[in-house]
Amino acid sequence: MATPQRYTGLIARYRDRLPVSESTRLISLGEGNTPLIQLQNIPRLIGVDVDIYVKFEGLNPTGSFKDRGMTMAVTKAVEAGSQAIICASTGNTSAAAAAYAVRAGIKAFVLIPAGKIALGKLAQTLMYGAQIIQIDGNFDAGMALVKQVAEHAPVTIVNSINPFRLEGQKTAAFEIVDELGVAPDYHCLPVGNAGNITAYWKGYSEYAAASDRHAAVIDKRPVMCGYQASGAAPFVLGKMVDNPETVATAIRIGHPQSWDLAWKVQQESGGWFDSLTDAQILTAQKLLSTHEGIFCEPASAASLAGLFKDLGTGKIPVGSRVVCTLTGNGIKDPDIAIAQCQDAKPVTIEASLDAVKQAILDAL
Ligand code: AN7
């Protein structure tokens, strides 16, 4: 007899706050429960009294926060009898969709912009065996096509316009409040389609209103700070961008799908959107890896770069408690990482004790 399935993922943990029933078959890879890491060296380096935590979503099963939404979206697609899912993607959604489809035993179709997704994400999606459809166009063009084709073919869309995606992703806010005992003062996030910032706000709001939680934490919600790359910053410009460009390919998005929802988050939380140059994003990425031992992908570092920009300016006061979400793992984008480290060339020596010893003494 087969052993009964044991579930350890976020649906099992927050089941009573998610739209599943006793009989729902969970499609899970043990996602969620990611570390909330308090920075130690960077606050000292910048010489500002600030309590910074990073929520390292790169440690999810496929290496990004997309797994939170995908476990819910695929669980519900399977529950509804769907045999295939589809998404447009800058890379991470395609990897997550592909993995959860395999787990469920259904088919995944992913539309990706040819030549514009990070190498690790492509490798993952290939390995999971998804049907990859590369298009000669950007994410926004792919998204428009996915919406159209879903009306003509039996496929369930698993982009964040699928409301179950946001249900799964809201659990990251639950985890943060459960761990800190209270919501942070500010929460910084990279913004592409703005599904994630919307989901966090939903999570904080639901938790703040939950009658079964301690009265002291009720009503406390963070100010939500959304950061974009300056070449792909529709929320900062206040209008859609037709040819978005940034080194952070994950957020190379000009027509965000959660436009109205995200503006509501900004208003309700008293937050803002701002943009960072590619150089600012890469500097923050490298600072995290070289000073804290945390390797996130470029798009993720926009959250920390945004905090650096707004800290102590009156927007984010000194002494605040801030959470930055690191949405994806740095290993996903080896090309950008290696390009950033040209000055740190490995030394090549002969394979002898003397040579290795000399190399160490030279470097000390
Ligand atoms: C690492 O995979 O849109 O604002 O197709 O991969 O919720 O869109 C990825 C988005 C931030 C932006 N950081 O989140 C996709 C995709 C990383 C990402 C975002 C993405 P949203």
Side-chain angles (χ1 to χ4, degrees):
M1 205 183 87
T3 49
Q5 272 290 322
R6 253 187 81 247
Y7 294 108
T8 56
L10 59 88
I11 301 180
R13 179 169 178 191
Y14 293 110
R15 182 164 211 133
D16 55 336
R17 300 185 193 277
L18 292 168
V20 288
S21 73
E22 282 296 305
S23 60
T24 306
R25 175 187 162 209
L26 306 188
I27 309 302
S28 168
L29 289 164
E31 55 293 311
N33 197 21
T34 55
L36 185 67
I37 309 168
Q38 187 175 24
L39 298 192
Q40 293 180 344
N41 301 320
I42 289 177
R44 220 179 308 140
L45 182 78
I46 61 178
V48 179
D49 169 30
V50 59
D51 198 9
I52 309 172
Y53 294 84
V54 295
K55 180 73 170 158
F56 194 15
E57 290 288 280
L59 295 183
N60 274 297
T62 78
S64 87
F65 75 98
K66 303 289 182 181
D67 295 341
R68 289 184 186 273
M70 209 53 76
T71 184
M72 267 311 305
V74 177
T75 289
K76 295 304 279 186
V78 168
E79 188 176 50
S82 180
Q83 293 293 312
I85 57 175
I86 190 166
C87 65
S89 180
T90 57
N92 280 326
T93 301
S94 66
Y100 285 81
V102 170
R103 190 75 166 162
I106 63 174
K107 198 153 178 61
F109 296 95
V110 305
L111 267 75
I112 55 172
K116 292 291 185 181
I117 84 166
L119 197 61
K121 301 173 190 181
L122 187 60
Q124 289 180 284
T125 309
L126 286 164
M127 280 299 280
Y128 295 132
Q131 177 62 59
I132 298 178
I133 303 169
Q134 294 205 66
I135 61 162
D136 182 17
N138 62 22
F139 167 85
D140 303 305
M143 192 66 239
L145 286 167
V146 163
K147 286 184 186 169
Q148 285 169 31
V149 83
E151 291 180 12
H152 300 279
V155 287
T156 303
I157 299 178
V158 294
N159 282 101
S160 54
I161 56 171
N162 177 327
F164 296 122
R165 278 276 311 275
L166 303 191
E167 287 297 313
Q169 285 171 215
K170 76 183 180 187
T171 60
F174 295 167
E175 289 176 13
I176 291 166
V177 177
D178 282 343
E179 193 153 338
L180 295 178
V182 64
D185 302 317
Y186 295 83
H187 192 127
C188 303
L189 284 154
V191 170
N193 278 302
N196 211 26
I197 197 168
T198 303
Y200 269 93
W201 185 243
K202 189 172 199 294
Y204 282 124
S205 299
E206 286 182 15
Y207 240 32
S211 55
D212 56 334
R213 299 195 69 253
H214 194 272
V217 301
I218 293 202
D219 286 348
K220 166 81 177 170
R221 293 184 290 177
V223 173
M224 302 298 291
C225 317
Y227 297 101
Q228 304 205 281
S230 53
F235 283 106
V236 180
L237 299 171
K239 61 178 169 60
M240 301 296 172
V241 172
D242 283 337
N243 293 302
E245 265 317 333
T246 169
V247 69
T249 51
I251 51 172
R252 189 170 169 270
I253 295 167
H255 290 239
Q257 297 300 309
S258 294
W259 182 257
D260 294 338
L261 291 171
W263 282 114
K264 226 172 131 229
V265 172
Q266 180 264 319
Q267 279 162 19
E268 287 180 12
S269 77
W272 57 82
F273 297 106
D274 206 342
S275 63
L276 291 315
T277 63
D278 282 357
Q280 287 173 311
I281 289 171
L282 294 178
T283 298
Q285 184 201 18
K286 194 149 188 203
L287 206 62
L288 261 177
S289 60
T290 55
H291 287 76
E292 299 283 358
I294 300 167
F295 185 23
C296 68
E297 68 171 285
S300 307
S303 57
L304 189 69
L307 170 59
F308 289 156
K309 184 172 180 182
D310 289 333
L311 184 61
T313 61
K315 283 175 109 175
I316 300 180
V318 169
S320 297
R321 184 189 302 194
V322 186
V323 172
C324 294
T325 297
L326 302 180
T327 43
N329 199 302
I331 301 171
K332 286 193 175 250
D333 201 341
D335 294 327
I336 297 295
I338 290 168
Q340 274 217 78
C341 299
Q342 290 308 311
D343 54 337
K345 287 230 168 64
V347 292
T348 305
I349 55 166
E350 73 178 49
S352 74
L353 176 60
D354 275 352
V356 175
K357 186 176 130 197
Q358 197 53 53
I360 290 169
L361 294 177
D362 287 348
L364 279 175

